[in-house]
Amino acid sequence: MDNSELMKLISEKTDKVWNGDAEINLVAFLKAQLDNAGTPLSPAQVSSLTVATTALTKATTKNTLVAMINVLSKMGVLNAD
């Protein structure tokens, strides 16, 4: 599998994990924390929070997976071919 195929697979699997309940639950948690702190959000702010949270979580997940694959390959656990 070449790098572009690997990145496509990582993106597909990451989207499957984060598109849906995980994203909804994380945004709801963050919104509740802000509401509890006395800083309620407007609908537009919730929308912005959703977009930003989704981008951040997906980027972090993808980077973590790439790093893990690189480490496992370097250790010889995964075959690079």
Side-chain angles (χ1 to χ4, degrees), residues 4-77:
S4 65
E5 291 173 321
L6 178 61
M7 291 308 296
K8 182 179 178 186
L9 179 61
I10 287 172
S11 290
E12 288 172 4
K13 297 302 181 182
T14 298
D15 288 346
K16 186 175 180 180
V17 168
W18 284 108
N19 291 351
D21 289 343
E23 176 186 37
I24 292 166
N25 292 337
L26 181 58
V27 171
F29 171 78
L30 293 172
K31 182 183 179 311
Q33 293 301 306
L34 291 168
D35 288 345
N36 289 340
T39 53
L41 300 177
S42 70
Q45 290 170 319
V46 172
S47 178
S48 292
L49 178 64
T50 301
V51 170
T53 301
T54 300
L56 179 63
T57 55
K58 286 182 179 182
T60 301
T61 301
K62 290 174 187 179
N63 289 336
T64 301
L65 288 171
V66 169
M68 181 60 70
I69 289 167
N70 288 338
V71 167
L72 292 174
S73 293
K74 185 77 169 177
M75 292 172 60
V77 175

